[in-house]
Amino acid sequence: MGKYINSFVQVLNNKYNYKPLGLLKKDNLCNNEDYFSFGFANYIAWEQLSLLKYRNQSKGPMIFPYNTAPLFLKESPDNILILHDVIFLNRSPTKSLKQKIGQLYRSFIVPVIVHKFQHIITVSEYSKNQIIQRLKVSPEKIDVIPNSVSLTDNFENENPDFEDRDNVIFHIGGEPDYKNSKMLLYAFAGLPISIKENYRLKMIGIRDLKTLNEYRTIAEQLNIIDNIIFLDYQTDLEIKELYQNSKLFIFPSKEEGFGIPIIEAMKYGCSLICSNASCLPEIAGEGAVYFDPNDQISLINAITSTLDDKKAIETRILQGYEQVKKYSFEAFEQKIIFWYKNRFKL
């Protein structure tokens, strides 16, 4: 979400010379004159009280970029809400206390504040339809401006060929059940021995220690612990190298508002297998092999059939290169310009 709003205001600045001011809670260390830190240090108290007071005393447009806003915000055509998704309404089980509090907070706040905005931006047609159906928001209020990636003119030629990559299956997941990361362990254990003995599964995103230990226990019970590598925090450069050095990227989520790893995998020419749920077919198009996220055998078959057909892999990677161009920064920029001219004249 941080990358999204930074790119968004970059376009407004470059095209229309708007100089945005980033608002931060107290004690956020930032010496940049483009940011202003004030009010409470606790985020919820800051958003509901400090930010509300600031908004009541300020004029001009304000973007609320992180799905939420003050409960008692006054309705104004100058306010813009960026609502990435409504997955939090599903109350997906999680062991993380921080995530539980976040789900409860958004579930209480968003259904109220969403009706105070005349301008709502989301990141996929799927998310737009969910906002309309679940929050009863008029479709006329919602614009879809997808996430983006930066592409060079010859980005396709910067990636290794499939055969030159390591025998690695790469996955970016998370603790919530909807990320479906645990299913990947069981699917990997069910792969043919010829694949299982020659490939390693590298997973990032499992940060909660209890959840990580649970995953390790499952891997030990399935007798695949020597083939699984749980990676800790990775820099953007390290993640790029993981994409470029892996033969497969698997994204098994049951629910996503967009799925940024999908466009990253296509950008880096990493053969993509993803679930056929929520927005994922909309984003990946013909650049992926799909499977049923509720069917472990479906995932096993998708992995096996993909690795057995090198020609199909090469074709799919090329289709991914074409698909990801729809999410270039230039395409993102054009959508914001269209929105600015036709929907919200700052």
Side-chain angles (χ1 to χ4, degrees):
M1 287 189 284
K3 289 182 179 178
Y4 184 93
I5 188 58
N6 284 337
S7 297
F8 196 99
V9 297
Q10 179 184 335
V11 174
L12 293 180
N13 187 14
N14 291 344
K15 293 296 180 181
Y16 304 107
N17 201 31
Y18 282 98
K19 186 174 178 58
L21 175 66
L23 305 178
L24 305 171
K25 61 188 180 70
K26 187 180 180 181
D27 297 334
N28 269 41
L29 300 178
C30 186
N31 298 320
N32 193 321
E33 63 179 8
D34 295 335
Y35 294 89
F36 175 47
S37 176
F38 65 97
F40 288 103
N42 175 273
Y43 183 81
I44 292 177
W46 176 82
E47 181 171 67
Q48 294 303 317
L49 300 174
S50 305
L51 183 59
L52 177 63
K53 180 179 179 181
Y54 181 94
R55 185 54 180 148
N56 288 338
Q57 296 174 347
S58 64
K59 295 181 180 180
M62 180 177 285
I63 300 174
F64 296 81
Y66 298 121
N67 295 332
T68 55
L71 191 62
F72 296 104
L73 182 73
K74 295 177 183 178
E75 186 171 344
S76 168
D78 283 338
N79 293 332
I80 306 140
L81 176 67
I82 299 179
L83 181 53
H84 291 259
D85 58 64
V86 292
I87 295 174
F88 53 85
L89 293 175
N90 298 335
R91 302 285 183 88
S92 180
T94 175
K95 291 183 172 64
S96 169
L97 179 61
K98 182 179 180 180
Q99 289 179 352
K100 287 179 181 178
I101 293 173
Q103 284 182 355
L104 288 171
Y105 178 67
R106 291 190 295 274
S107 297
F108 176 68
I109 294 295
V110 174
V112 177
I113 60 98
V114 72
H115 298 287
K116 299 184 181 226
F117 287 87
Q118 298 177 24
H119 304 286
I120 299 170
I121 294 171
T122 193
V123 294
S124 67
E125 292 294 337
Y126 175 81
S127 284
K128 177 179 179 177
N129 290 332
Q130 288 289 294
I131 294 168
I132 293 168
Q133 294 170 16
R134 304 193 69 176
L135 297 176
K136 309 304 178 187
V137 175
S138 169
E140 285 75 23
K141 292 183 177 182
I142 309 172
D143 286 286
V144 175
I145 302 178
N147 288 277
S148 66
V149 287
S150 296
L151 302 175
T152 61
D153 290 339
N154 297 303
F155 72 97
E156 305 98 322
N157 299 325
E158 298 171 5
N159 298 318
D161 292 335
F162 178 82
E163 294 296 340
D164 294 331
R165 295 167 183 251
D166 299 331
N167 284 355
V168 169
I169 297 172
F170 179 36
H171 167 63
I172 298 177
E175 290 97 2
D177 281 0
Y178 72 84
K179 290 291 185 181
N180 211 20
S181 296
K182 194 179 295 183
M183 177 189 180
L184 186 50
L185 293 179
Y186 290 101
F188 188 88
L191 289 170
I193 294 177
S194 59
I195 297 176
K196 196 163 48 178
E197 288 185 347
N198 291 293
Y199 277 78
R200 296 292 180 269
L201 173 60
K202 293 187 177 182
M203 305 179 70
I204 63 174
I206 312 300
R207 295 180 293 271
D208 179 74
L209 185 57
K210 289 184 178 179
T211 304
L212 183 57
N213 288 334
E214 179 186 354
Y215 274 54
R216 285 177 173 150
T217 299
I218 292 172
E220 288 172 352
Q221 292 172 344
L222 294 172
N223 199 30
I224 57 172
I225 190 64
D226 292 337
N227 300 77
I228 311 298
I229 301 172
F230 296 103
L231 297 169
D232 54 14
Y233 172 81
Q234 302 289 295
T235 65
D236 288 346
L237 178 58
E238 289 170 329
I239 291 175
K240 173 185 175 181
E241 291 173 348
L242 282 164
Y243 280 121
Q244 290 185 317
N245 293 324
S246 300
K247 284 188 173 170
L248 289 182
F249 178 78
I250 300 182
F251 201 63
S253 290
K254 296 179 180 180
E255 184 88 9
E256 292 286 342
F258 183 87
I260 291 176
I262 287 179
I263 59 175
E264 291 177 336
M266 292 190 292
K267 170 183 176 178
Y268 294 121
C270 188
S271 187
L272 173 62
I273 297 176
C274 70
S275 76
N276 59 10
S278 69
C279 68
L280 305 189
E282 172 192 341
I283 306 305
E286 295 184 350
V289 172
Y290 296 98
F291 68 94
D292 181 349
N294 298 303
D295 184 352
Q296 180 180 314
I297 300 300
S298 178
L299 176 53
I300 292 171
N301 290 339
I303 296 172
T304 304
S305 62
T306 298
L307 291 176
D308 283 345
D309 193 342
K310 302 299 189 295
K311 186 175 181 180
I313 284 177
E314 293 172 359
T315 300
R316 195 79 64 179
I317 289 172
L318 292 176
Q319 290 171 322
Y321 285 149
E322 289 304 309
Q323 181 71 7
V324 77
K325 291 175 184 177
K326 299 177 182 178
Y327 306 103
S328 67
F329 182 79
E330 289 73 22
F332 177 77
E333 183 179 66
Q334 289 305 310
K335 286 184 178 293
I336 293 175
I337 291 171
F338 180 85
W339 168 81
Y340 177 91
K341 290 181 177 178
N342 294 279
R343 298 278 288 184
F344 191 81
K345 299 177 176 59
L346 298 175

